[in-house]
Amino acid sequence: MASWAEQLQCELARRGLSVASVPGKGRGLVAARTFFPGEDILSQEPYASTPNRILVASSCDHCFASGNLKKCSMCRVTWYCGSDCQKEEWKLHQLECRAMAALSEDRKKMLTPTIRLMVRLVLRRKLQNEKAIPSSGIDNYNLVDALESHISKVDENQLVLYAQMANLVSLILPSLKLDLKEIAHTFSKFACNAHTICDPELRPLGTGLYPVISIINHSCVPNAVLIFDGRTAYVRALQPIGIDEEVSISYIETASVTKKRHNDLKQYFFTCTCPRCVKGSEEDAILEGFRCKNQACDGFLLPDSGKKAYTCQKCGVSRDDEEVKKMRSEILLLSDKASSFRSSGNNSEAGSVYKTIEQLERNLYHAFSVTLLQTRETLLKIYMELQDWRTALTYCRLTIPVYERVYPPFHPMIGLQFYTCGKLEWLLECTEDALKSLTRASDILKITHGTKSQFMKELFGKLEEARAEVSFRISSIHGHDERVS
């Protein structure tokens, strides 16, 4: 009988893929055929998954839908959107339900998503071992077992926490004889292998462990993207991927400077050496840099330690260090004030203060600065919530050139921002602009999201509506012109 590793290679070969040893990275997923932009490279159901919010009705435990949720009457922890999802999960939930129903209310409050994920993983392994549910070459516990835990690099405090979490799992599942050391190791695997399950607009819904997708390595300039439809994970090509080329996705938000990206990657215990990280310095100076004092110049400033100043790399004009410090200090004070208004729900005042911050940052930071981008993203959110569509559109449009600078051409964030722009333009009856934005959104998102999901069907519907409206307006104008002549 073939080993689990041979079964995995056989399953992947059918999909035009193979697991290979990649120099400096360990295991990686490599293309055994050519993949084209928008093509599904791999899809996988989670070995175990859980919503982010457990004791409240946030999403269905099986499909992650958010409508018509009903709580399990026995354990009063799990939520389902209907009987189909409940039946689909029943063999697993039957065991989980008994365990959780026996918990005191205080213990139930200790059911964090990570603890729940482990409970579900342990129970799924038991059911597969007993042949109560099927397993396959890409769906078995051996794949989880093979994941890297980096346990030797984990600090002492975290190890103690993993041990305490393992004890809690044993209290929740007292009828099972558990290897607490193995459970602690698996918690460490979660930290560097689990994926955040997001909705089509990249808002977090929960966490899932996808052992085959976890083989895919990171790059800050990835050639593929990971997108979810419900809890099903899809890896799609963003650009042509040739035979023997490694498939890569991004583990982190890449709209940031090299230092920030490397810091975000620390939890995965490696240092990225992708082309973007190796090149680094000039792009970083733009993304975090100050703008030239000369308003007509689009250069960025570099520190000039000899003069205690910053000098423009393009025109040579200097900006005094004290002036920069003063402006940053003023922005910091206003940011505290704006955050306070935002957290107390006073969006109108928060918007007003953030507008002032944005104006100050425009004078200080380069046009492609991530700091300025984040302020504009905040303003977009605030004015969307205030339903001030025109102001929201102004800031949405300002974010797009920066998105196009910091992300690859076919990146979901660019597509989603064009979609937001298009919806705002449609609301404001800027129909031709809406058609352009929705067309750009569709061109990008059909590569990243595919074409079959409900989300994409809604986008295509809006696009067709905008096309029809523009055609009607053009024909009306032509008809009017003919009558006049």
Side-chain angles (χ1 to χ4, degrees), residues 194-295:
H195 287 95
T196 301
I197 298 169
C198 296
D199 72 4
E201 295 181 65
L202 307 187
R203 292 174 297 215
L205 296 174
T207 306
L209 190 65
Y210 298 82
V212 181
I213 287 172
S214 290
I215 295 168
I216 301 173
N217 287 314
H218 163 87
S219 172
C220 299
V221 277
N223 56 20
V225 65
L226 174 62
I227 294 286
F228 297 87
D229 187 4
R231 66 174 196 172
T232 309
Y234 291 90
V235 178
R236 292 193 180 92
L238 291 176
Q239 61 194 52
I241 300 172
I243 296 171
D244 294 332
E245 193 176 337
E246 187 187 4
V247 176
S248 61
I249 59 174
S250 177
Y251 294 177
I252 55 162
E253 169 55 76
T254 55
S256 54
V257 296
T258 308
K259 186 178 177 183
K260 170 80 165 64
R261 295 197 309 275
H262 283 192
N263 195 50
D264 291 345
L265 287 167
K266 275 183 181 173
Q267 71 177 92
Y268 302 103
F269 300 99
F270 71 89
T271 301
C272 185
T273 55
C274 74
R276 191 175 166 200
C277 287
V278 170
K279 193 170 70 173
S281 57
E282 184 172 317
E283 186 204 34
D284 287 353
I286 291 170
L287 295 185
E288 70 177 351
F290 304 123
R291 64 162 298 148
C292 180
K293 198 171 182 176
N294 176 2
Q295 295 293 318

Side-chain angles (χ1 to χ4, degrees), residues 128 170 184 354 357 359 409 414:
Q128 282 189 333
S170 71
Y354 274 116
I357 292 168
Q359 286 162 4
I414 303 173

Side-chain angles (χ1 to χ4, degrees), residues 346-375:
N346 191 342
N347 272 348
S348 185
E349 287 294 334
S352 179
V353 179
Y354 274 116
K355 273 184 173 180
T356 306
I357 292 168
E358 193 265 352
Q359 286 162 4
L360 288 168
E361 286 180 346
R362 227 186 305 165
N363 288 325
L364 178 62
Y365 291 105
H366 193 275
F368 292 117
S369 153
V370 174
T371 306
L372 181 54
L373 171 68
Q374 287 164 349
T375 300

Side-chain angles (χ1 to χ4, degrees), residues 131-149:
K131 307 280 192 288
I133 59 171
S135 59
S136 72
I138 58 167
D139 177 18
N140 63 77
Y141 186 78
N142 289 313
L143 299 169
V144 177
D145 205 35
L147 293 174
E148 182 59 69
S149 70

